Amino acid sequence: MKDYDSIKEKFDNSGVNAPDTINEQLIMEKLGSAQPVQVVPPKKSKKKVLAGVSSAAAVAVVTAGAIALTSVLSNKPVQSQSSSALEEKVVVREEDVEGLRSFKSREEVRETLKTAIKVNDVFMNASKYRTEKEYFNEIAADADSASGSTGSASGGSSNGASAETGAGTVPNTGADSFGGTYTQSVGVDEADVIKTDGRYIYYLDSFDSEIEIFTADGANSKKAGKISMDNNKDGKNFIEFFLRGDRLVVVCQDNSSQAGTAAYVYDISDIENAKLVDSCSQSGQYVSSRMIGDTLYLVSSYEFYDEDLLPVFNRKPASTPDSAEMNELPFENIYSVENPSQNSFLVLSFLDVKKGSEAAEATAIIGSGDTVYCSRDNMYITACECIPAVYTRITALEDVDKYWEGEGGDVMTYQEFYSQQMTGIIKVNLANGIKFTASGEVEGRVNNQYSMDEYNGNLRVATTSMNEDYEDVNNLFVLDEKLNQLGKVTGFAENESIQAVRFIDKTAYVITYRQTDPLFVIDVSNPSKPRIDGEVKISGFSTMLVPVDENTLLGIGYHTEEDPSVASNAQNALKLVTFDVTDRSDPKVLDSKIFPFLSSAVQSDPRALLVNSERGDYTIPTSYYKDSEYRNGKYLIYEVPETNNGLINFRVDNGKINVIDEYSSENLTRYDCYSFNRCVYAGDYQYILSSEVNDNYYYSNSVRELDSLSSQVNIEAVKYK
């Protein structure tokens, strides 16, 4: 059976216009896609295209080094893995992957780690050698790029394909249509704190580390069940979860154990009596995860010290008694980047949630990792890596401090060091297990997973780096399937940094920001010679770009204006904007709307965007907070801040932003006591869920034990207008 790409190519080459009823969702479902997806209908025109909406979420983790590199994303809808292939999943040992080193013994692994620790010490000590000017320049740069610059500004689905999973149909149960987590790649699910199957709504109360389950029954919704851990108070906490048929898979962080990241598989066929049926755990802090079909991929970052074990991986079916046994990975399953700059491991495992943990395996790379992008075929993970000249110089020194003091007048400043940042990228093939297939690097640092995109076997990467004057500049690189550089366009938008990226077929859209918000349109049709076609500027900046149709982009981000109290720009409002990209050389702003004192989780986490493809509209959760106001040249300070939570439901019609409903909840007014960042829909209702911490935590003057505190999950149904 031919996959979606093949079908689309035949339409494109035949000159036949696809009818409205043939869209990606229908095709992927007919092909047996692992998860149904929803597509925002393209703008009506004489020419019909297979286009839609996709996005991603990036989950970043702070690792132990001075250089924390973020990853980027890409998407290409490709053929899904067959169930027979899952039976043969293995960790494939690669001896000859360029840029990766394998080991002949456990001792050789530890020797490489000792060198990485030495290099990491240089990075950790680098701050001692910053000049006062360099330090305050950094502070100013951080202030300019705050609020959204490191958020997972999602985008990047090749071919404009929708990647919204968590939406679809459940026969004979619940609503006919439903939607939740907004994801990056078609058929690749991402963990979240809320999911729905149309019949029930599952919500993670992070304060109590439990998942509350409610019926999706409009105004009559009620609690139907709960999943919790008895030992969450011992350092084990639910982080996020997946929903796959009658399996709910929770990712857990266990700070009390070396196997710090775990996945717990629950059977929820009886919603009132969920059962733990399987689990696996591995070393390190949780970085990210994905699920393709029934297979979970789990990524963690493990900081290593001399006395520690190498990374561990444990399988534990529910029938197995508790055990403190630590199963260290064999050296055959461990690799290293050429010049590791951190004493950390990137640990990657997979688990078939239907077959059980006996089918699970793990592998690791010395070099750490931050952000994950995953297509149906490949996973890309950024890793910290030294440039060879710096690595050689450090490892030759007996005293790492001498690297900064210099010898013979050879002194490297902190800025010079910082300007040589590289983003290392590891490519992992997922076709039959987990197999490292390539390692490469690009100059600079990526904003998030949306800065990367896989298309026709190539990887496109957008980065921000420093020029010779130590000013931020921006770049776009094209890498081949072995992650060797094919082409690049560099040095654009001086003194600005990337805030959002969206790749659609042979075009890249890049938002940069310092004082204004330029949208750059970059032609990447020739991988060897990408070029900037056009740009347009607007106040504020977008942290997320969403393709509405073939010629319209929606930007979601921040409105900015001068703040006299801090002599810089204040990001004090939510802003929506639409761009006309019909003429790539002359993009235009079509419409914009500003919502004062509103913020939204979408500004930093694209998974929070809710798309209803049947209605062709968007919903974003909002929080209102107003504690002061600048009026007539003076600041008015409110004794009691005005607060509220709610949602905005809107459409984009011919480039115009039409607000359908701007809902404010009468029940969700306590800003500091609510965790509010998601909503889902099922049938004719949108559902707002939030966690309320009891009042004593915030308002009692007495000292209370944290264990005595609790929270309450609230659900509110908002009927579509």
Short mmCIF file of all heavy atoms in Angstrom, two decimals, residues 44 60 76 85 90 100 251 260 273 305-306 321 333 440 490 520 535 554 586 648 682 684-685 699-700 706:
data_model
loop_
_atom_site.label_atom_id
_atom_site.label_comp_id
_atom_site.label_asym_id
_atom_site.label_seq_id
_atom_site.Cartn_x
_atom_site.Cartn_y
_atom_site.Cartn_z
N LYS A 44 -11.02 28.34 0.83
CA LYS A 44 -11.66 27.97 -0.42
C LYS A 44 -11.10 28.79 -1.58
O LYS A 44 -11.03 30.00 -1.53
CB LYS A 44 -13.17 28.16 -0.33
CG LYS A 44 -13.84 27.18 0.64
CD LYS A 44 -15.34 27.33 0.62
CE LYS A 44 -15.98 26.30 1.55
NZ LYS A 44 -17.45 26.40 1.56
N ALA A 60 11.99 20.99 27.12
CA ALA A 60 13.41 21.23 27.36
C ALA A 60 13.76 20.80 28.77
O ALA A 60 12.95 20.83 29.65
CB ALA A 60 13.75 22.69 27.17
N LYS A 76 7.72 14.84 8.45
CA LYS A 76 7.44 14.32 7.11
C LYS A 76 6.52 13.14 7.28
O LYS A 76 6.89 12.14 7.88
CB LYS A 76 8.74 13.88 6.44
CG LYS A 76 8.52 13.30 5.05
CD LYS A 76 9.84 12.82 4.48
CE LYS A 76 9.65 12.18 3.12
NZ LYS A 76 10.92 11.66 2.58
N ALA A 85 6.74 -5.56 12.38
CA ALA A 85 8.06 -4.98 12.59
C ALA A 85 8.32 -4.75 14.07
O ALA A 85 9.46 -4.86 14.54
CB ALA A 85 8.20 -3.66 11.83
N VAL A 90 14.90 -4.02 18.03
CA VAL A 90 16.13 -4.24 18.77
C VAL A 90 16.95 -2.97 18.78
O VAL A 90 16.71 -2.06 18.00
CB VAL A 90 16.98 -5.37 18.14
CG1 VAL A 90 16.30 -6.71 18.28
CG2 VAL A 90 17.29 -5.07 16.69
N LEU A 100 30.29 9.20 15.47
CA LEU A 100 30.00 8.47 16.70
C LEU A 100 31.09 7.44 16.97
O LEU A 100 31.61 6.82 16.05
CB LEU A 100 28.64 7.77 16.62
CG LEU A 100 27.40 8.64 16.55
CD1 LEU A 100 26.16 7.77 16.55
CD2 LEU A 100 27.35 9.62 17.71
N VAL A 251 4.48 9.16 32.21
CA VAL A 251 5.92 9.38 32.39
C VAL A 251 6.12 9.97 33.78
O VAL A 251 5.46 10.93 34.17
CB VAL A 251 6.48 10.34 31.32
CG1 VAL A 251 7.96 10.60 31.57
CG2 VAL A 251 6.25 9.76 29.93
N GLY A 260 16.03 7.46 37.21
CA GLY A 260 15.17 8.59 37.56
C GLY A 260 13.99 8.83 36.66
O GLY A 260 13.07 9.56 37.03
N ASN A 273 -11.40 1.27 37.74
CA ASN A 273 -10.40 0.44 38.40
C ASN A 273 -9.19 0.26 37.49
O ASN A 273 -8.89 -0.83 37.00
CB ASN A 273 -10.99 -0.94 38.75
CG ASN A 273 -12.16 -0.84 39.72
OD1 ASN A 273 -11.97 -0.58 40.90
ND2 ASN A 273 -13.36 -1.05 39.20
N TYR A 305 29.14 11.00 37.39
CA TYR A 305 30.31 11.33 38.20
C TYR A 305 31.16 10.08 38.37
O TYR A 305 30.71 8.96 38.11
CB TYR A 305 29.89 11.90 39.56
CG TYR A 305 29.13 13.19 39.43
CD1 TYR A 305 27.73 13.21 39.46
CD2 TYR A 305 29.79 14.40 39.25
CE1 TYR A 305 27.03 14.40 39.32
CE2 TYR A 305 29.10 15.60 39.11
CZ TYR A 305 27.72 15.58 39.15
OH TYR A 305 27.03 16.76 39.00
N ASP A 306 32.39 10.25 38.81
CA ASP A 306 33.37 9.16 38.83
C ASP A 306 32.86 7.91 39.54
O ASP A 306 33.14 6.79 39.12
CB ASP A 306 34.67 9.62 39.50
CG ASP A 306 35.51 10.49 38.58
OD1 ASP A 306 35.39 10.32 37.35
OD2 ASP A 306 36.27 11.34 39.09
N PRO A 321 7.93 -8.58 41.56
CA PRO A 321 8.01 -7.87 42.85
C PRO A 321 8.99 -6.71 42.77
O PRO A 321 9.88 -6.68 41.93
CB PRO A 321 8.52 -8.95 43.81
CG PRO A 321 9.21 -9.96 42.93
CD PRO A 321 8.43 -9.96 41.65
N ASN A 333 26.04 -1.17 24.12
CA ASN A 333 24.88 -0.30 23.87
C ASN A 333 25.19 1.17 24.14
O ASN A 333 24.27 1.99 24.20
CB ASN A 333 23.70 -0.72 24.74
CG ASN A 333 22.99 -1.95 24.20
OD1 ASN A 333 23.58 -2.74 23.47
ND2 ASN A 333 21.74 -2.14 24.56
N GLY A 440 25.89 14.94 13.35
CA GLY A 440 26.37 16.14 12.66
C GLY A 440 26.30 17.34 13.57
O GLY A 440 25.96 17.22 14.75
N THR A 490 23.36 32.56 5.87
CA THR A 490 23.81 32.93 7.21
C THR A 490 23.83 34.44 7.41
O THR A 490 23.82 35.22 6.46
CB THR A 490 25.23 32.38 7.47
OG1 THR A 490 26.13 32.95 6.52
CG2 THR A 490 25.27 30.87 7.36
N PHE A 520 10.74 36.39 8.00
CA PHE A 520 11.58 36.13 6.84
C PHE A 520 11.02 34.94 6.08
O PHE A 520 10.63 33.93 6.68
CB PHE A 520 13.02 35.84 7.26
CG PHE A 520 13.76 37.04 7.79
CD1 PHE A 520 13.74 37.33 9.15
CD2 PHE A 520 14.46 37.87 6.94
CE1 PHE A 520 14.41 38.43 9.66
CE2 PHE A 520 15.14 38.98 7.43
CZ PHE A 520 15.12 39.26 8.79
N GLU A 535 10.72 39.70 3.31
CA GLU A 535 10.47 39.86 4.74
C GLU A 535 9.45 40.96 4.96
O GLU A 535 9.22 41.81 4.10
CB GLU A 535 11.77 40.20 5.47
CG GLU A 535 12.38 41.55 5.10
CD GLU A 535 13.60 41.87 5.93
OE1 GLU A 535 13.42 42.30 7.09
OE2 GLU A 535 14.71 41.70 5.42
N LEU A 554 -0.80 32.08 10.45
CA LEU A 554 -1.26 32.67 11.71
C LEU A 554 -0.10 32.71 12.68
O LEU A 554 0.59 31.70 12.89
CB LEU A 554 -2.40 31.83 12.30
CG LEU A 554 -2.80 32.12 13.75
CD1 LEU A 554 -3.45 33.49 13.87
CD2 LEU A 554 -3.74 31.03 14.27
N ASP A 586 7.23 39.18 -1.27
CA ASP A 586 6.60 40.38 -0.71
C ASP A 586 5.49 39.98 0.26
O ASP A 586 4.31 40.24 0.02
CB ASP A 586 6.03 41.24 -1.85
CG ASP A 586 5.51 42.59 -1.34
OD1 ASP A 586 5.97 43.03 -0.27
OD2 ASP A 586 4.64 43.17 -2.02
N ILE A 648 -10.20 31.83 24.33
CA ILE A 648 -10.58 32.58 23.14
C ILE A 648 -10.76 31.59 22.01
O ILE A 648 -9.86 30.80 21.71
CB ILE A 648 -9.51 33.62 22.75
CG1 ILE A 648 -9.35 34.67 23.84
CG2 ILE A 648 -9.87 34.30 21.44
CD1 ILE A 648 -8.22 35.65 23.59
N ALA A 682 -14.90 17.97 22.93
CA ALA A 682 -15.57 16.72 22.58
C ALA A 682 -16.99 17.07 22.19
O ALA A 682 -17.74 17.66 22.99
CB ALA A 682 -15.55 15.74 23.75
N ASP A 684 -19.94 19.10 21.04
CA ASP A 684 -20.30 20.52 20.99
C ASP A 684 -19.71 21.34 22.12
O ASP A 684 -20.03 22.53 22.26
CB ASP A 684 -21.83 20.66 21.03
CG ASP A 684 -22.50 20.06 19.80
OD1 ASP A 684 -21.86 20.06 18.74
OD2 ASP A 684 -23.64 19.60 19.93
N TYR A 685 -18.84 20.73 22.94
CA TYR A 685 -18.33 21.43 24.12
C TYR A 685 -16.80 21.51 24.12
O TYR A 685 -16.10 20.60 23.66
CB TYR A 685 -18.78 20.72 25.40
CG TYR A 685 -20.23 20.94 25.74
CD1 TYR A 685 -21.22 20.09 25.24
CD2 TYR A 685 -20.63 22.01 26.55
CE1 TYR A 685 -22.56 20.29 25.55
CE2 TYR A 685 -21.97 22.20 26.87
CZ TYR A 685 -22.93 21.35 26.36
OH TYR A 685 -24.26 21.55 26.66
N TYR A 699 -2.14 31.44 51.89
CA TYR A 699 -2.62 32.53 52.72
C TYR A 699 -2.47 32.30 54.23
O TYR A 699 -2.66 33.21 55.01
CB TYR A 699 -4.09 32.81 52.40
CG TYR A 699 -4.26 33.31 51.00
CD1 TYR A 699 -4.73 32.48 50.00
CD2 TYR A 699 -3.88 34.61 50.65
CE1 TYR A 699 -4.86 32.94 48.69
CE2 TYR A 699 -4.00 35.07 49.35
CZ TYR A 699 -4.50 34.24 48.38
OH TYR A 699 -4.61 34.69 47.10
N SER A 700 -2.14 31.11 54.65
CA SER A 700 -1.98 30.88 56.08
C SER A 700 -0.64 31.40 56.56
O SER A 700 0.38 31.24 55.91
CB SER A 700 -2.09 29.38 56.39
OG SER A 700 -1.80 29.15 57.75
N LEU A 706 4.10 20.29 53.85
CA LEU A 706 3.67 20.19 52.45
C LEU A 706 2.78 18.98 52.23
O LEU A 706 1.83 19.01 51.45
CB LEU A 706 4.89 20.12 51.53
CG LEU A 706 4.62 20.16 50.03
CD1 LEU A 706 3.98 21.50 49.66
CD2 LEU A 706 5.91 19.97 49.24
#
